[in-house]
Amino acid sequence: MTKLCQWLLGLALLGSAWAALTLTPQGLCLPAPYREVLLPLPIYLLVAFGCYSLATVGYRLATFNDCEEAAAELRGDIAAARADLRRRGLRA
Amino acid sequence: MAASDADKFSVLLPTYNERENLPLVVWLLARTFRESGTDFEIVIIDDGSPDGTREVAEQLEKLYGPERIVTRGFTSVLFSSGTAYIHGMKHATGNFIIIMDADLSHHVSLYSIKQKEGNFDIVSGTRYKGNGGVYGWDLKRKLISRGANFITQVLLRPGASDLTGSFRLYRKEVLQKLMEKCVSKGYVFQMEMIVRARQLGYTVGEVPISFVDRVYGESKLGGNEIVSFLKGLLTLFATT
């Protein structure tokens, strides 16, 4: 099953469960307070996911390593490589 | 099997206008392999570069010997990364294949190439974990990178932290199997390889790499790249 199918299946299952519990008049005999919570649940989850995404990306952005030593080491290597290759007769 | 003394590593280097970088990459690779005492060869697949990359490759072959540098099999038809690798593999004699960009983005001496090969079928370089990272990236580029990676993780759950970096080590049979199955072009092809590898049950290990921004030339990351990335991602989402 492709990822798309997995998502569609998951959404269909959760969606129909939610609809059955909150949208039908009898609501499977669920007491009123439960229905009040369940009704806006999809929106809440969406917003919560949005906040999680922002926080995660923000955190990862802040902790993205800058490789100063690697760049310096590379510059040194390049100089050594060029000198050695020139010595060995490479005409670039 | 973990890497042993009988192993040989074939590095596939697709090149396009890498006349200045190519000798440096080859020199760094040769040094790294010699220091670790590993058997190796470097297969240079040039895409008909107009800047004389091919001549430089042939000089390197004379310098290092034809067992170490393989420059047979040039074509001058413009091809994408995928076909370059297929082409390169035909001439590779090692039992492990390393794929990396020939543009000095991957700081070769940082990886002890053999070290992380703890029996993995694939070892992938990651910029996002451990002491992996980047150099010379501004905030916007980092944000786009992290954002794109986040979306990729949510949609594809690939089991690897960095799908678009291109430093990878594969067992030869694994790479051959994956090449048959993967159909994307360009760097989406790299992403597809990892996703399919997980589906086929191959093990993927990770190694932190430092992506030092191109010392020569410019990197491309414009609006076009972003759009084509999203298209590729959604295609993978719908087809894998």
Side-chain angles (χ1 to χ4, degrees):
Chain A
M1 190 188 300
T2 66
K3 299 286 187 303
L4 177 61
C5 287
Q6 288 173 5
W7 276 64
L8 290 176
L9 188 63
L11 286 174
L13 284 174
L14 292 173
S16 50
W18 174 82
L21 289 174
T22 58
L23 297 183
T24 55
Q26 317 91 299
L28 300 178
C29 306
L30 217 53
Y34 286 100
R35 297 192 70 182
E36 274 168 39
V37 169
L38 279 178
L39 199 55
L41 196 60
I43 303 294
Y44 284 164
L45 289 177
L46 215 56
V47 172
F49 177 71
C51 293
Y52 165 76
S53 305
L54 284 175
T56 304
V57 173
Y59 172 74
R60 288 176 180 174
L61 177 62
T63 56
F64 212 160
N65 287 331
D66 278 307
C67 306
E68 304 285 341
E69 327 82 47
E73 200 184 334
L74 182 59
R75 280 193 283 273
D77 281 341
I78 289 177
R82 279 169 148 170
D84 188 45
L85 287 168
R86 211 176 306 129
R87 203 172 35 86
R88 292 162 69 173
L90 189 83
R91 291 167 336 273
Chain B
M1 278 169 287
S4 66
D5 287 327
D7 291 316
K8 182 172 180 181
F9 291 80
S10 298
V11 181
L12 301 187
L13 289 185
T15 60
Y16 187 70
N17 284 347
E18 300 285 1
R19 181 206 177 89
E20 300 214 32
N21 285 351
L22 184 57
L24 305 174
V25 173
V26 168
W27 190 89
L28 287 172
L29 282 170
R31 186 184 68 171
T32 305
F33 282 119
R34 290 221 188 93
E35 279 172 6
S36 63
T38 320
D39 193 11
F40 73 99
E41 66 180 355
I42 301 174
V43 183
I44 302 172
I45 312 121
D46 185 53
D47 190 3
S49 300
D51 73 340
T53 304
R54 179 175 177 171
E55 283 72 43
V56 172
E58 285 169 358
Q59 282 190 57
L60 289 166
E61 185 176 0
K62 289 206 188 67
L63 204 58
Y64 285 93
E67 306 87 42
R68 294 304 190 200
I69 310 283
V70 179
T71 59
R72 286 187 296 275
F74 288 127
T75 70
S76 33
V77 179
L78 199 63
F79 49 46
S80 67
S81 281
T83 53
Y85 298 137
I86 294 174
H87 204 73
M89 271 209 298
K90 292 204 185 82
H91 300 283
T93 60
N95 55 333
F96 289 101
I97 312 273
I98 292 177
I99 288 181
M100 51 181 281
D101 287 344
D103 69 350
L104 280 183
S105 295
H106 304 274
H107 188 191
V108 174
S109 71
L110 257 196
Y111 341 106
S112 176
I113 294 172
K114 190 170 171 173
Q115 169 199 332
K116 196 59 178 184
E117 216 276 304
N119 223 2
F120 294 113
D121 296 310
I122 300 177
V123 178
S124 173
T126 173
R127 296 159 291 175
Y128 301 131
K129 277 168 91 172
N131 58 354
V134 295
Y135 177 80
W137 281 25
D138 60 6
L139 204 63
K140 175 180 161 197
R141 192 166 174 197
K142 284 185 183 178
L143 176 62
I144 294 174
S145 180
R146 283 294 199 180
N149 181 254
F150 179 78
I151 299 174
T152 307
Q153 296 293 326
V154 168
L155 287 181
L156 296 183
R157 302 191 311 277
S161 62
D162 191 350
L163 286 200
T164 51
S166 43
F167 176 88
R168 302 250 179 90
L169 167 78
Y170 299 85
R171 276 190 221 282
K172 191 173 186 182
E173 325 78 73
V174 172
L175 184 58
Q176 277 166 338
K177 181 73 181 285
L178 288 175
M179 299 287 255
E180 288 164 26
K181 291 201 154 260
C182 293
V183 295
S184 316
K185 299 270 185 291
Y187 58 82
V188 180
F189 171 79
Q190 301 282 1
M191 294 167 65
E192 191 185 355
M193 298 261 262
I194 292 283
V195 174
R196 297 238 181 251
R198 297 290 282 198
Q199 286 175 343
L200 290 169
Y202 294 126
T203 52
V204 180
E206 296 198 291
V207 155
I209 60 170
S210 39
F211 188 92
V212 178
D213 204 354
R214 286 182 173 225
V215 182
Y216 304 102
E218 332 89 47
S219 279
K220 358 160 250 289
L221 192 66
N224 272 336
E225 270 69 43
I226 298 179
V227 167
S228 70
F229 166 80
L230 287 174
K231 275 170 42 181
L233 179 60
L234 289 175
T235 309
L236 285 182
F237 179 63
T239 58
T240 61

